[in-house]
Amino acid sequence: MTAADVISLAPDAASVKAGEALASPRKWLALGSDASFLWGECQGSGKVPYQVCVELGTLAYACSCPSRKFPCKHVLGALLAHVNASTASGTPPEWVSEWHAKRSEKQQRSAARASAVAAGAAPEAGEAGAAPSKRAQTRERRVAAGVDECERWLGDLIRLGLAHARVQPASFWEGRAARLVDAQCPGIARRVRALAATVVSGVGWEERTLTALGEIALLCSAYGRLDTLAPELGADVRRAIGWTQTHDEIAARAFDIVTDTWLAVGIRTVDEERITARRTWLLGSHTRRSALYLQFAPKGAPIPDPLVAGSRFDATLIYLESAAPLRAIVTERGAGHNGAFVPEATSIDASLESFARALAGDPWLERFPFVLADVTPQLEHEAVWLVRDASSALPLAGGSPGLRALLALSGGSPLCVAGEWDGTAFVPLMAWSAGRAVALGS
Amino acid sequence: MNNESAIAATWPTLVRSAVVGTQRSPAIGLLSEEAEWTALIRGGTSSDETLVLRAAAVIGLLRRAGRRAPLVDRAEAPPAGPETRPRCGPAAAADLLRILDREPGLLPEWLALAERAQVRVPEEHVPLLFSYAESRAALHPAVIAVAGARGAWLGTQFSEWGFAAGTPDDPGAAWLHGEFAARLAAFVMLRRIDPADARERLIATWEREAARERVAFVRALHTGLGDADEPFLDARLDDRRKDVREAAALLLARLPASRLAARATAAAHACITLRKRLLQSPVLDVTLPEALSAELQRDVIDLKPPHGVGERAWMLRQIVAHVPPAQLVPGVDAAHVLDLVRRCEHGPALLHGIAAATASYDDERMRTAFLIDAAGDHGAGALALTANQDAPWSERRRDAIVALLEAGVPNALEFTLTLPGPWDRRFSQAFLAYLRALATSSAGSALWRTRREVFSEAALRIEPALADAGEEWPASATQEIARDVIDAFYETVRFRAGLRRHLESQS
């Protein structure tokens, strides 16, 4: 871990500055670490010093200060002091082990809460266990009504024409999305909300809008005949509409369990409406399986147990039920492996083919990981392409944060690049050059 | 018909009818092409809208899944050349990112340390460094040096980074073939290697240089400036562009042996005479010039006085600004010149002129005289001290300010910033002692608030090794504002000590 990794955890620039100010052991009453934990006591404005504790393997942390920033400046300061090698080794005090014991249990609860928030179903969480089957039936009814209404709305759009839809105010899309949220279809609502931007996205907007409408229509009609679909595809439909599963439900379903040494080949954090989502793309070293580890947190709150880009660790993944299994949860995370590791990569053509195969399973798949070997980023009229053998090329998404860093890293020579493909553009997330792994910013 | 051509035939029609709306453009004949998926769309369809939506779902999905990487036939850019320096370590790279993000004042220091350690910036961070430096020409030479071969390659990829395109290994080639920014950087480099050779190269191409770019090359003669540049610069005083004339005059006023200095000295002596008196100290008789001769008009670029200054007083001030201070009143030393000037008529005009001349000729004696005189006229004194900060380190100047600090002169803090960084150990210690005395004194919070900038600037210059001494600050510095200022000061100094550690461990 480097100072840059620590800083990437900070919620804002002010926290970084405050954390840096605490990075000196002079600011601490006690600051120590062993192989697993980092701890310290810091005199704040109160009488009792704040107690800070970090589990180094997972970067889970706690601080007794009342700050509403996560991590707070004390955690950042302690970590920065630690990476500067200015903490003394020692035996953790009692309060550290107490904290650790409480944590595992708490962790389960917070994961369940976060997925509930992600599904927009926060109100339900409080009633957990009350009368599940009755509540499930109510939701089923609401969704059916919402999907019905949505289909009629789509029909109206097409009858009046996209040119007409294009000149509608933002509230036109927002209002429809709000109705779908009320109907407990947050997945469809998200797609509808995105249309507001698609219709004004410039050249080619007609094709993009129609494609997106087609996907929503397909989703609505698939829900109508859910009972005729294979169970895996049915699971994809329900997830695309907005049903979520808790960690425990996924573990109980045990659809596909894969144990391997996983490499985090790319991480992207995006702010959505009320939540922060972190997509971690994993690649199995032996099985060569890809996985998407999706984590949510309320906006401004920490992502629990974040993985670091380029890290390699043993773990058992449980895939969510799907016709094209990709999303998974991480269980039994074991030892980490050190050293830069270049993943096994494939050609552009082979990657596109595997994307097509995945789409054939789950037509609502939004993104797919590519790990591309020997590609050279090339600049052409402000646009960047990944080129291989001068015979195939992939367009890079224009706004990707790491485009110039990727060009600089390559310097006109081929390298290995991992990232997300959404069917039209590629977002580079990590690159390997001369044995060095470089995260390209998220 | 195969899938691909059926899609190609159907999709545009489909998009058109969706844009217009099926109300006005019924989707009849939409699926005239038969393909294996047309039945999927047609089966049990009741309305035009459903037909369009279903077709969009099926064809949209097929298009998304079937997107092919286009065959490309591009002229590949030649790859970057091999690197000659190792990368700086991860800790030094993290420092650089922090500097670029929120401590840009420390960038020159980091660049100098990296240069000394003979390392380069990791290639993925070069774009961030270039984005910061692209509009700051003064940083370009140092930035180019640590950006390595990859930096030069990036310079060929993005026009705004063209300043880096010239390969630092061969400034001669960059001078001949580069774009303006690259040529300018190459010229500065050539001046550093061999000033005379660089000047001859410029003279050879001078007539062909674009008029608006000439001024930059004249200014660039600042690097390696010497008496041999005088004929070329003096000829530039006849240039058609005012900015070129101005730039040339500014440089000539740094050369005491220039004809410009001689002309100004002669004109000044015509206005100023030293009158010796019996039993009394001598005085200066000053008469204002009536009009400027043609050749003086050529030297004095700005004839229009600022508001509130008389025309003839302005002329005198402009002339004196070109006179090497030692030659203004022959046979009188610097401290006495100031004394004489203060007592004579038109003293303010003379004082301003002398201050400007002190800065441009970098006259150390006159500078020190001003400093010792600082308790008197702070305005002109500070002017002479702050101007021309790139002048070489001078022990006399340092000693003079150390004396002020040790004497506890109240405004000594202001004068500390007239010494360019990095400060040596002796000066740094004097500064810290002063700071410590200030912290234990009963100085009010207003003092700390108004001096905050002095401290943040001083933190960038002070010898950072002193931060590792870990000396505790007096507990009596209980005012929160004082603690804040001191903490921030120490935080920066400690960060700078880290920069050194992280880069020095590599060399």
Side-chain angles (χ1 to χ4, degrees), chain B residues 417-503:
Chain B
L417 294 192
T418 65
L419 271 184
W423 290 345
D424 67 2
R425 181 167 281 271
R426 160 116 199 266
F427 191 86
S428 299
Q429 274 165 344
F431 181 87
L432 284 177
Y434 187 90
L435 180 57
R436 209 166 280 124
L438 198 63
T440 44
S441 77
S442 57
S445 60
L447 180 138
W448 290 102
R449 202 166 292 118
T450 52
R451 298 299 189 276
R452 197 187 272 272
E453 264 146 47
V454 177
F455 290 118
S456 57
E457 191 55 42
L460 301 180
R461 301 185 189 183
I462 205 160
E463 164 61 53
L466 294 174
D468 290 342
E471 278 181 82
E472 286 308 311
W473 283 92
S476 54
T478 47
Q479 290 184 66
E480 201 165 328
I481 178 89
R483 264 212 313 265
D484 276 4
V485 169
I486 292 173
D487 275 357
F489 172 83
Y490 241 84
E491 170 56 23
T492 304
V493 179
R494 208 164 47 76
F495 179 58
R496 288 181 55 223
L499 302 186
R500 240 147 263 252
R501 221 171 31 244
H502 297 150
L503 279 166

Side-chain angles (χ1 to χ4, degrees), chain A residues 16 20 162 380 390-391 408-409 411, chain B residues 18 71-72 74 80 102 124 150:
Chain A
V16 174
E20 279 162 353
L162 300 183
E380 208 176 72
S391 66
L409 193 64
Chain B
L71 291 178
V72 282
R74 297 190 168 73
R102 42 192 190 283
E124 66 272 21
R150 204 53 58 94

Side-chain angles (χ1 to χ4, degrees), chain A residues 95-406:
Chain A
W95 52 268
V96 172
S97 25
E98 276 172 21
W99 167 78
H100 181 59
K102 276 186 201 158
R103 205 181 79 82
S104 329
E105 173 202 351
K106 211 165 149 191
Q107 190 188 351
Q108 301 279 328
R109 279 208 307 270
S110 84
R113 234 184 357 256
S115 3
V117 169
E124 266 185 8
E127 314 154 16
S133 65
K134 191 177 169 211
R135 209 177 56 238
Q137 282 167 12
T138 315
R139 177 163 192 187
E140 215 69 64
R141 267 201 310 279
R142 280 192 200 155
V143 169
V147 164
D148 238 31
E149 204 182 291
C150 183
E151 275 188 305
R152 279 198 301 280
W153 177 77
L154 289 171
D156 287 346
L157 274 184
I158 296 297
R159 196 167 55 252
L160 295 172
L162 300 183
H164 174 76
R166 191 180 186 220
V167 296
Q168 300 302 315
S171 59
F172 172 77
W173 309 100
E174 194 46 54
R176 173 53 46 188
R179 289 191 67 88
L180 283 161
V181 168
D182 289 345
Q184 293 186 291
C185 307
I188 309 182
R190 193 170 49 76
R191 286 170 184 267
V192 168
R193 200 174 286 122
L195 286 171
T198 311
V199 292
V200 291
S201 60
V203 178
W205 71 272
E206 310 93 330
E207 300 196 336
R208 284 190 290 275
T209 307
L210 186 60
T211 308
L213 290 175
E215 285 169 11
I216 301 175
L218 186 65
L219 186 55
C220 292
S221 97
Y223 180 74
R225 25 188 231 102
L226 205 50
D227 47 349
T228 68
L229 302 179
E232 298 86 14
L233 186 56
D236 285 323
V237 171
R238 294 174 74 85
R239 193 157 47 247
I241 285 175
W243 267 277
T244 54
Q245 286 171 291
T246 63
H247 192 282
D248 291 342
E249 284 165 350
I250 296 165
R253 176 68 184 84
F255 176 69
D256 190 1
I257 302 174
V258 180
T259 302
D260 202 340
T261 300
W262 301 91
L263 173 67
V265 291
I267 291 178
R268 192 159 188 218
T269 307
V270 284
D271 277 337
E272 288 171 10
E273 196 81 336
R274 287 156 52 208
I275 54 164
T276 300
R278 184 173 165 107
R279 297 196 283 272
T280 305
W281 296 100
L282 300 171
L283 184 66
S285 304
H286 308 297
T287 59
R288 309 214 47 207
R289 292 278 299 261
S290 293
L292 167 61
Y293 179 40
L294 203 51
Q295 292 170 289
F296 298 102
K299 220 171 190 169
I303 296 281
D305 298 358
L307 292 167
V308 175
S311 63
R312 221 165 126 242
F313 56 93
D314 294 332
T316 299
L317 264 56
I318 305 176
Y319 282 87
L320 276 67
E321 183 172 14
S322 167
L326 190 59
R327 258 190 75 181
I329 55 171
V330 178
T331 63
E332 293 167 38
R333 192 161 136 200
H337 299 265
N338 288 329
F341 180 82
V342 183
E344 212 169 309
T346 50
S347 70
I348 292 177
D349 289 336
S351 298
L352 287 170
E353 242 178 81
S354 53
F355 175 62
R357 264 198 305 277
L359 266 190
D362 173 5
W364 300 282
L365 190 62
E366 292 176 86
R367 287 170 210 90
F368 196 73
F370 285 180
V371 183
L372 303 165
D374 300 327
V375 285
T376 309
Q378 272 189 25
L379 189 67
E380 208 176 72
H381 309 299
E382 299 291 301
V384 186
W385 295 76
L386 282 182
V387 178
R388 172 165 161 142
D389 301 337
S391 66
S392 54
L394 211 56
L396 296 192
S400 313
L403 278 194
R404 290 199 175 195
L406 179 65

